[in-house]
Amino acid sequence: MRWLPAGSTPWLVAHELRLAFRGRQTARRSGLIALAILGALAFGMGLTIAYEMRNVHIPITPITALIFDVVLVAVFTLMLSVTVSRAAQIFFERGDLELLLSSPIAGRRVLTARCVGMALSASLMFLLLVTPFVVSSALLGRPEWLWAYGVLISTSFLSTAVGLVIAMGLFALIGPRAAKTLAQILSAIIGASFYLLSQAGRYLDLGPTTGGAGFWRNTMTGLLQTGLFAPDQPLSWPLQAMTGAPVPAIALIASAFTIFLLVTGALGARFERDAAAAAGVSAGGGRKTTKVRRFSEGPFSAMMRKELTLFRRDIALIAQVLLRLLYLAPTVFLLWKSVKTGNSIVIPGAAFLLTFMSAQIASSLAWIALSGEEGLELLAASPAPAHILRRAKLAAVLVPLSWLMIIPLGLIAWASPQGGAAALLGMVASAISAGLIAIWYETPTPRTQFRRRPGGSWVGNLAEFGLSLLWAATAGLTATAWWPLALFPALLAIGALFAVQRPQKTYAETLPSA
Amino acid sequence: MAAEQTWDGPNTLVVRGLTKTYGAKTAVDQLDLTVRRGELYALLGPNGAGKTTTLRMVSGLLKPNAGSISVCDVDALAAPARAKALVAWLPDEPMLYDKLTPLEYLDFVAGLWSVPGKIAKARAEDLLKAFDLWDQRNKPCEGFSRGMKQKAALAGALIHDPKLLILDEPLTGLDASMARLIKDMLQQRVRDGGTVILTTHILEVAERLADRIGVIARGKLVAQGTLDELRAAAGADRSTLEDVFLKLIDEPQQS
């Protein structure tokens, strides 16, 4: 940072990146080894694909251009999902914002730097994903693939600009508090939108000859007939840019960056005003508050009530759960259709998916209730036994889970009582597993960081994922005619639970200074 | 636990030979301390002297390496839950849940200490009114000022009517009127027979409020008593507490 002029936009960007990556430098040795192995595997795979494709030149035709545009739209929606959520947060995550805005640096510059940081972090995952292939291709004599970086980065800058416009638009329309809530929910919907759209054929009753694939075939044919994807049309530029044609690549990148600069430039002054307005407003939570009519009797009910209240008011958690439910929506529709048509072939699949999904939701809720506990010292100072408090937390996890899963579970049970029983078994077992893992691998972490779960054990994370799969397999097999086979994954899951078991700590033992 | 609630012995807290080490560093070294019932005891000492570590051990948050702690004649190391039921601990940074309202927070804390619902509700109303938080009772704590958070946390500490109230730097960052409110409340508590231990860096607070003052340095209690007794111990008659304090922490071996 020293060689950058202090107060300049690059200097501010470097500051943003330094803060963004500082927390990730303290990875443990085991984590670094795992990362190195994963990197080596990814590069091995990238090199293989690059070698196979060293002589393949993708033709620029309407169909290839359309396919690539569809992929790019999918990438754009995923990036937009991140940037909408982050753009709303930049008004509330005070951090150093007040320091920066009280300095002589222009608000526009602060916003630009923050947005550059946002764009780079939104594109990071995709850049890491393509790097093994792109770098290997460049080394094997196909440097034109390096333009992929330009395409991805410009897409992320465009998504940041759009995300910022959406967030600030919401801010202006409905005020800071509601804007943050709505932005989080919108972010979840945008994140799932492409997937939901891809499943559109399943929702629409298109008859037995068309179905999902038929719907998309018809749509694609219709789009190709418009002539908009011909090689001389702008909609073919993304593919041309990706395959190394310099003019479309430069045009695409320049357009994205121009839009980005215009948006941040135009909204800079407004950003200062809005950030100042947001400072006086508490982040999240609604104006409406629930009155406590009757006080709790004892630690169990007090803890359950507290956790349920916190779940209800945690917008980020609600958005994540909503996202998972959106991914479940096509299955629910499929179930609905199978119930109507008497087709029960989907039941085992639905039992599998429902169990897996409920395990994931239970895991998020259990983690946030246990590791995200903010009042550790209060719990440690209280006479309430730790095991009672933890049980109350797990009971609180089961309440929203039951509400969320009752409709799909009811549908399965209606279609097939055996399938319903299998799904119920899987859901209960997987939720208990997720809760136990959350207790055994409890790591006090700020609640706001539940998406990243820093400091979490990789054994715990792996066990949690593996157990979700095993219980889902148990539920899926139980729903079939070969239900005795379900014993194998069930026994494996129980064995795995015993293997990863760890002694529980008291709350005093989990305090940092203990 | 009913016996402890009606307890009326002479000493609320008796600490003997309390020791806490972190690796090679001894944070608290063979500390003896007695705090009487109905007394406001101020624990003074420079930064890192071992005040907070001592009080965290008394509150059951830290396990000592050696020594004994007795709260209202309950052995806090042998029966920690019974001892904790009698104590309230208020750290310098208030422990509140941002997304809970003060009323919900008090409901939660009362539940942790198993205060019957009806009693807890009545106490919560009294406390919130006494601390001028009644109008804010249904607003999330995240929007509160530091002073309001401190008052809500203090209300939480009092909801189970503790025999021993321990406060770590309770007046830090409070404006004059809030500091006054808290000081008045502490004095009232002591008049009603409660016992209060507080640590403070504001020597004037200790001088004006405390019945007895303990001075801790390098993990040892170097002196304790009334202000006059401390003056005598430091050989500094008619000096201010500040002079006495500085003399005592500079020359621990003389006490």
Side-chain angles (χ1 to χ4, degrees):
Chain A
M1 263 181 82
R2 280 187 199 151
W3 47 273
L4 294 168
S8 66
T9 306
W11 182 82
L12 286 169
V13 172
H15 169 69
E16 289 290 325
L17 294 178
R18 183 175 57 180
L19 292 181
F21 288 101
R22 179 141 294 177
R24 296 165 199 244
Q25 287 170 353
T26 51
R28 277 168 287 179
R29 188 193 278 182
S30 57
L32 288 175
I33 292 169
L35 210 63
I37 294 170
L38 206 68
L41 283 173
F43 262 95
M45 203 184 289
L47 191 64
T48 312
I49 299 170
Y51 183 78
E52 291 297 327
M53 286 186 65
R54 69 192 186 283
N55 295 319
V56 175
H57 290 270
I58 295 171
I60 310 296
T61 63
I63 183 82
T64 54
L66 175 59
I67 290 169
F68 185 73
D69 282 357
V70 169
V71 171
L72 203 59
V73 168
V75 170
F76 178 81
T77 53
L78 289 174
M79 286 179 173
L80 187 62
S81 157
V82 173
T83 56
V84 165
S85 159
R86 296 253 172 95
Q89 280 172 4
I90 60 173
F91 298 109
F92 293 98
E93 282 179 358
R94 309 309 299 166
D96 56 354
L97 195 59
E98 266 161 16
L99 173 69
L100 291 170
L101 290 179
S102 65
S103 76
I105 299 171
R108 180 179 50 79
R109 197 175 287 174
V110 174
L111 176 69
T112 307
R114 207 140 266 204
C115 288
V116 170
M118 212 154 75
L120 291 177
S121 62
S123 62
L124 186 69
M125 191 183 79
F126 296 97
L127 295 177
L128 288 174
L129 210 64
V130 299
T131 290
F133 169 73
V134 167
V135 171
S136 304
S137 293
L139 292 172
L140 291 171
R142 297 287 299 276
E144 67 270 24
W145 280 109
L146 290 169
W147 283 106
Y149 289 131
V151 173
L152 282 175
I153 290 173
S154 53
T155 307
S156 77
F157 272 77
L158 192 64
S159 75
T160 303
V162 176
L164 191 65
V165 170
I166 292 174
M168 291 184 81
L170 288 175
F171 203 101
L173 284 172
I174 56 177
R177 197 194 306 261
K180 193 189 178 200
T181 308
L182 199 60
Q184 294 271 10
I185 291 167
L186 202 62
S187 156
I189 294 171
I190 292 170
S193 63
F194 192 83
Y195 170 74
L196 292 176
L197 204 62
S198 72
Q199 301 293 312
R202 292 182 188 275
Y203 316 142
L204 306 171
D205 196 7
L206 300 170
T209 52
T210 48
F215 170 77
W216 279 110
R217 201 167 40 243
N218 294 342
T219 309
M220 299 277 265
T221 312
L223 283 171
L224 288 171
Q225 281 167 355
T226 60
L228 290 170
F229 297 89
D232 57 340
Q233 292 294 318
L235 285 177
S236 73
W237 286 5
L239 179 62
Q240 293 189 45
M242 191 79 165
T243 51
V247 174
I250 290 166
L252 204 71
I253 293 166
S255 321
F257 279 89
T258 306
I259 292 169
F260 176 81
L261 289 174
L262 283 174
V263 167
T264 50
L267 296 178
R270 190 172 183 100
F271 167 70
E272 260 183 283
R273 266 203 322 273
D274 288 353
V281 177
S282 54
R287 271 190 182 81
K288 284 182 197 163
T289 47
T290 318
K291 289 180 183 176
V292 177
R293 289 192 186 89
R294 206 160 49 85
F295 268 48
S296 312
E297 295 287 346
F300 189 90
S301 67
M303 179 57 87
M304 247 188 104
R305 181 186 269 194
K306 175 236 162 194
E307 287 304 335
L308 290 172
T309 308
L310 292 183
F311 287 159
R312 230 179 19 245
R313 294 185 188 157
D314 195 327
I315 302 303
L317 178 70
I318 291 171
Q320 203 196 47
V321 171
L322 178 70
L323 185 66
R324 285 180 174 156
L325 289 178
L326 286 172
Y327 280 110
L328 196 63
T331 308
V332 174
F333 274 94
L334 209 60
L335 264 173
W336 177 247
K337 281 173 72 177
S338 79
V339 169
K340 281 206 300 185
T341 58
N343 172 13
S344 61
I345 201 157
V346 290
I347 298 297
F352 177 94
L353 193 70
L354 205 62
T355 302
F356 185 75
M357 205 58 90
S358 79
Q360 294 297 300
I361 294 173
S363 145
S364 288
L365 294 173
W367 187 91
I368 210 161
L370 286 146
S371 289
E373 172 58 57
E374 293 165 312
L376 279 178
E377 214 165 90
L378 178 68
L379 303 189
S382 85
H387 68 273
I388 297 283
L389 298 178
R390 288 190 173 116
R391 268 184 220 163
K393 281 170 180 275
L394 291 189
V397 167
L398 292 176
V399 173
L401 193 66
S402 317
W403 281 107
L404 292 170
M405 293 296 158
I406 198 158
I407 291 175
L409 188 65
L411 277 174
I412 297 182
W414 185 21
S416 151
Q418 184 190 349
L424 183 64
L425 169 86
M427 282 167 57
V428 171
S430 65
I432 291 172
S433 286
L436 289 174
I437 300 265
I439 289 176
W440 295 335
Y441 293 87
E442 189 178 325
T443 314
T445 312
R447 207 176 164 87
T448 48
Q449 296 187 14
F450 84 99
R451 280 187 182 164
R452 272 182 58 211
R453 301 192 189 184
S457 152
W458 67 270
V459 177
N461 293 341
L462 197 68
E464 188 186 282
F465 185 73
L467 283 163
S468 305
L469 281 176
L470 285 170
W471 287 122
T474 306
L477 284 168
T478 309
T480 65
W482 314 289
W483 59 267
L485 289 177
L487 268 176
F488 291 107
L491 288 174
L492 267 176
I494 293 166
L497 268 176
F498 275 106
V500 298
Q501 190 181 4
R502 292 208 307 199
Q504 283 186 42
K505 288 180 178 175
T506 64
Y507 279 111
E509 284 166 347
T510 60
L511 292 175
S513 57
Chain B
M1 239 174 265
E4 278 107 62
Q5 293 304 329
T6 53
W7 171 89
D8 63 351
N11 296 320
T12 305
L13 176 70
V14 179
V15 167
R16 292 288 172 264
L18 198 67
T19 303
K20 179 70 188 174
T21 56
Y22 293 104
K25 187 179 181 271
T26 303
V28 177
D29 189 5
Q30 293 286 320
L31 188 123
D32 292 341
L33 179 69
T34 301
V35 181
R36 299 167 194 148
R37 184 163 60 89
E39 179 176 60
L40 200 154
Y41 189 95
L43 200 55
L44 307 182
N47 291 332
K51 306 184 294 291
T52 303
T53 306
T54 302
L55 296 184
R56 284 169 67 86
M57 285 191 279
V58 172
S59 308
L61 300 175
L62 275 179
K63 217 172 171 179
N65 296 93
S68 67
I69 301 166
S70 161
V71 179
C72 301
D73 295 332
V74 173
D75 184 338
L77 301 179
R82 276 176 62 205
K84 282 176 181 181
L86 303 165
V87 179
W89 158 249
L90 189 68
D92 53 347
E93 280 299 322
M95 308 176 286
L96 289 178
Y97 294 90
D98 281 350
K99 302 280 182 212
L100 293 188
T101 68
L103 203 56
E104 289 166 343
Y105 174 71
L106 294 186
D107 170 31
F108 176 60
V109 180
L112 290 179
W113 264 265
S114 298
V115 182
K118 278 185 184 166
I119 296 173
K121 193 174 182 186
R123 268 191 207 156
E125 187 174 338
D126 290 347
L127 285 165
L128 291 177
K129 282 180 178 165
F131 285 123
D132 209 14
L133 285 172
W134 184 245
D135 292 342
Q136 322 290 325
R137 66 189 181 279
N138 288 321
K139 291 181 182 164
C141 296
E142 63 189 339
F144 285 10
S145 67
R146 186 189 158 86
M148 286 162 77
K149 284 184 177 175
Q150 187 77 353
K151 287 195 292 184
L154 187 53
L158 295 173
I159 192 90
H160 67 281
D161 193 20
K163 294 278 180 203
L164 174 60
L165 176 61
I166 302 174
L167 308 105
D168 193 14
E169 299 289 350
L171 304 176
T172 306
L174 298 188
D175 65 31
S177 64
M178 284 195 192
R180 179 63 178 268
L181 181 76
I182 289 179
K183 284 190 274 188
D184 288 348
M185 188 281 304
L186 295 180
Q187 285 181 312
Q188 183 59 46
R189 182 119 202 117
V190 170
R191 276 197 294 272
D192 293 344
T195 306
V196 176
I197 304 178
L198 60 85
T199 70
T200 180
H201 279 109
I202 310 167
L203 299 181
E204 180 263 339
V205 170
E207 196 168 353
R208 285 188 52 194
L209 289 184
D211 297 306
R212 285 193 308 144
I213 297 165
V215 178
I216 193 166
R218 290 171 282 273
K220 286 179 182 292
L221 191 70
V222 294
Q224 72 170 335
T226 61
L227 184 54
D228 287 339
E229 286 167 350
L230 289 183
R231 281 188 185 122
D237 288 349
R238 274 181 258 160
S239 297
T240 64
L241 178 60
E242 188 179 19
D243 296 330
V244 173
F245 173 71
L246 292 173
K247 199 164 167 45
L248 284 168
I249 62 167
D250 276 349
E251 300 165 5
Q253 68 281 7
Q254 290 183 5
S255 61

